[in-house]
Amino acid sequence: MINRWLFTQIDNSSLIVFRVIFGFLIMLEAVGAIFTGWIQRTLIAPKFTFNFIGLDFLQPLPGDGMYYYYAVLGVFGFLVMIGYKYRWSMAGYTILWAGVYFMQKTSYNNHYYLLLLLCLMMLALPAADYFSVDSRQHPEKQKTYMPRWCVLIIIAQLWIVYTYASVAKLYPDWLDGTVPKNLMAARAYYPIIGEWLQASWVRYCIAYTGILFDLLVIPLLLWRRTRFAIFIISIFFHMFNSIVFQIGIFPYLSLGFTVFFFSKERIHRLFMKRKPFYTANEIKIPRYNKALIAVLSVWLVIQIALPVRHWFIPGDVLWTEEGHRLSWRMMLRGRSGLTHFYVVDKNDPEGKRERVDKNLFLSKKQLRTVASKPDAMWQFAQRVKAAYATQGRDVAVYVDSEISINGKARKKFIDPEVDLASVPWNCFTTNPWIIKYEE
């Protein structure tokens, strides 16, 4: 039964159209990073980046190297779009995107994570079997069909993302409009719409529309009777997000996903009239079907499990940040802090504390990250210790930090008596030097 469900061959117009959209958007993502100054601010200006812990070897290329890096990314995106050497081009983009994703967390974004997952998925899908340079050069390999699992895995991934994004919003500061109010206050300077965004009804509309849209958009796209209506709503929803939150290609990518929900006949008729429409619905079970099912199952289990891991870590994730990343907790809270670092020379009998001038080490953007994120604080403590070691000094690094969540009163965040430079970072359990509070 499962083999019939997964391996029935269906028309591949939706995947072909999505490949073109996807390639175009990832090309824009790379080119945009060059021309908007993102590379300069995030990768070139800082003396170092806050990489994912354990991947310290990932640091930006020297000089103008990251501009060339992103130029190559853009070329790979273009090649994906036209379907030239598709597997190699998609693999190249995936590797380079993974490198820059794990290289820096200062501009961490759930959409960057989703793009990495999509790159891995597109690498495995037969997205260049038609309307591509590859299929023109090798017409004997041209196909007008694909196994059904290619569509199902994308829909399942999207359902996971949107569902967790909705559920994460079910907490007091979102439900009472505090978070949307703060988000809109930061955009009061926008021309024309800035003042309008401050209206109280707007914040509540954003709060509850966000919950309902994320929770219902996939089911309503799957149901034929509501599909067109929710598609029109999606256009407005994602264009609003694009204009107000300026979140790059994600709104347009989200609209591109809808090709997997409309009927195969409609997508073929709208975009690929010249392509023969596949109607045979033949079942072709590959010899590696059991291995493929196992891989798909493991993928989905990981995607379902990662976002709930914070429930198994002591403390509120909104406060501790432990388990926040890779969990689809998108635009969920405002976080700010007042954080100072002090060093004590271990050979100083008086144990005198010296305040560290963070400006000597960090960019403006990194200063905001270090002020409120515990993993960045820990990493910076390691950097400070290493910097003093070059002067022949063995120091302990202490942190005095107070954090505010959603504009509320600041509270002590880090145990000021713990030498952060001498304790390990726990990736899967709690870090005891983060102060927890009873609810």
Side-chain angles (χ1 to χ4, degrees), residues 405-421:
I405 304 295
N406 297 333
K408 297 179 180 178
R410 290 196 297 262
K411 294 192 292 186
K412 188 71 71 176
F413 185 55
I414 301 295
D415 186 341
E417 301 304 318
V418 173
D419 172 14
L420 278 199

Side-chain angles (χ1 to χ4, degrees), residues 261-318:
F261 295 89
F262 284 95
S263 69
K264 301 182 292 296
E265 293 81 4
R266 173 168 290 188
I267 298 302
H268 176 267
R269 185 169 64 252
L270 288 175
F271 299 105
M272 307 207 75
K273 286 184 178 180
R274 296 183 180 181
K275 182 179 85 66
F277 184 71
Y278 180 80
T279 58
N281 292 326
E282 183 181 0
I283 300 173
K284 294 184 177 182
I285 301 175
R287 61 180 181 276
Y288 53 84
N289 64 309
K290 291 183 179 179
L292 178 58
I293 292 172
V295 169
L296 295 177
S297 300
V298 169
W299 175 277
L300 292 176
V301 167
I302 291 173
Q303 291 304 310
I304 292 171
L306 274 178
V308 300
R309 70 192 188 282
H310 66 86
W311 290 109
F312 301 93
I313 301 175
D316 185 351
V317 63
L318 285 167

